[in-house]
Amino acid sequence: MANPTAAICVIGDEILSGRTKDKNIGWLAEQLTGIGIQLVEARIIADVKDTIIRHITDLSAANDYVFTSGGIGPTHDDITTVSVAEAFGVAVERNEEAMRRLEHHYMGTEIVLNEVRKKMADIPVGATLIDNPVSAAPGFCLNNVYVMAGVPSIMQSMFGCLAPSLQGGTVPTRLTVQCATGEGNIAHILEQISKKNNAISVGSYPWFKPGQFGTAVVLTGLDKTNVKRAADELCTLIKKAGYKAENPV
């Protein structure tokens, strides 16, 4: 059986402009893979309400899980919350528990919990809060969409809190065959293995070092036995073709 699927939607003009480099997609992909959820798509979009609504609606319908990062702060361009709420046809209201967390966080500090900061306690009706151990302002889950902060350290802490609630699948088996030749020389072998094993992903990744080059062939699948068999067959065929190949690891 296939694993649950997921998509991530990174929201922020600063990512698209290049001012800020995204660090969330790769990290989240690694975490999801580790619990048997397949990240099948990543999108980076602008802070535009209609754009956010369109992508959230599309991704939610196509996947088991959708994760967003960015746009839930206190400023005027933080519109992810209202956009996600509108995507599902619900209102946004001041959430008592979210407000309590903010009040507790700012208590005893020199930072004033003003009306602008209180905006971070506005949550879609019916949503479940996602804990934020770093800066208190919670994310939320509405339907199958998990809305988190864009700052990597905060997003990671939020995901750590919600991860136990996710229903994962089989953790994929991934084996690598290192070949001392270019991928163009073994492309026909890779195609043969791929066609023979529909449930296994076969990826080739060229590498270059001073005075030498080669190809790392990565086989990934949910059935450990089948992946091992396909990797061994690949290694054997490459050696028969006259090229050096290391046994799969």
Side-chain angles (χ1 to χ4, degrees):
M1 296 180 62
N3 276 347
T5 64
I8 180 172
C9 191
V10 177
I11 303 168
D13 294 342
E14 70 279 10
I15 302 293
L16 291 171
S17 71
R19 181 181 180 278
T20 301
K21 313 303 180 187
D22 175 73
K23 297 181 180 179
N24 292 330
I25 295 175
W27 185 87
L28 183 63
E30 185 177 3
Q31 301 305 307
L32 293 175
T33 299
I35 57 177
I37 298 175
Q38 184 181 5
L39 184 65
V40 297
E41 187 170 1
R43 300 183 187 182
I44 302 176
I45 63 174
D47 293 301
V48 177
K49 181 187 285 188
D50 289 345
T51 301
I52 297 172
I53 292 172
R54 174 165 51 86
H55 285 281
I56 291 300
T57 302
D58 180 33
L59 293 173
S60 175
N63 296 280
D64 297 297
Y65 298 106
V66 178
F67 301 92
T68 78
S69 67
I72 61 171
T75 59
H76 72 283
D77 58 342
D78 289 312
I79 61 172
T80 298
T81 296
V82 295
S83 300
V84 171
E86 191 167 329
F88 291 107
V90 300
V92 173
E93 66 178 7
R94 186 64 49 88
N95 184 281
E96 291 184 5
E97 174 58 21
M99 192 64 198
R100 185 196 66 77
R101 296 183 189 188
L102 288 177
E103 290 173 342
H104 179 76
H105 179 73
Y106 287 106
M107 186 182 301
T109 73
E110 297 180 357
I111 302 175
V112 177
L113 181 56
N114 56 25
E115 287 303 315
V116 174
R117 293 191 175 96
K118 288 179 181 179
K119 174 188 172 185
M120 295 186 291
D122 292 344
I123 305 293
V125 175
T128 302
L129 298 183
I130 298 175
D131 293 339
N132 175 359
V134 176
S135 58
F140 62 87
C141 172
L142 185 61
N143 288 6
N144 63 339
V145 178
Y146 294 78
V147 177
M148 299 179 289
V151 178
S153 60
I154 301 178
M155 190 277 280
Q156 292 173 17
S157 70
M158 286 181 168
F159 184 81
C161 292
L162 70 87
S165 68
L166 302 177
Q167 298 296 315
T170 303
V171 178
T173 294
R174 180 176 292 120
L175 294 177
T176 300
V177 177
Q178 291 288 355
C179 312
T181 187
E183 62 180 351
N185 292 331
I186 58 173
H188 63 292
I189 298 176
L190 304 185
E191 182 178 8
Q192 177 182 338
I193 294 295
S194 181
K195 287 183 176 180
K196 190 175 179 180
N197 301 275
N198 293 330
I200 297 175
S201 170
V202 181
S204 61
Y205 307 95
W207 54 265
F208 302 89
K209 296 179 181 179
Q212 62 180 137
F213 64 92
T215 306
V217 182
V218 180
L219 297 91
T220 307
L222 301 183
D223 188 307
K224 183 176 182 179
T225 300
N226 287 342
V227 174
K228 180 64 167 62
R229 175 189 49 73
D232 287 339
E233 182 180 1
L234 172 67
C235 191
T236 298
L237 291 175
I238 291 174
K239 290 178 179 177
K240 284 184 177 180
Y243 305 109
K244 293 182 179 180
E246 297 179 5
N247 291 333
V249 294

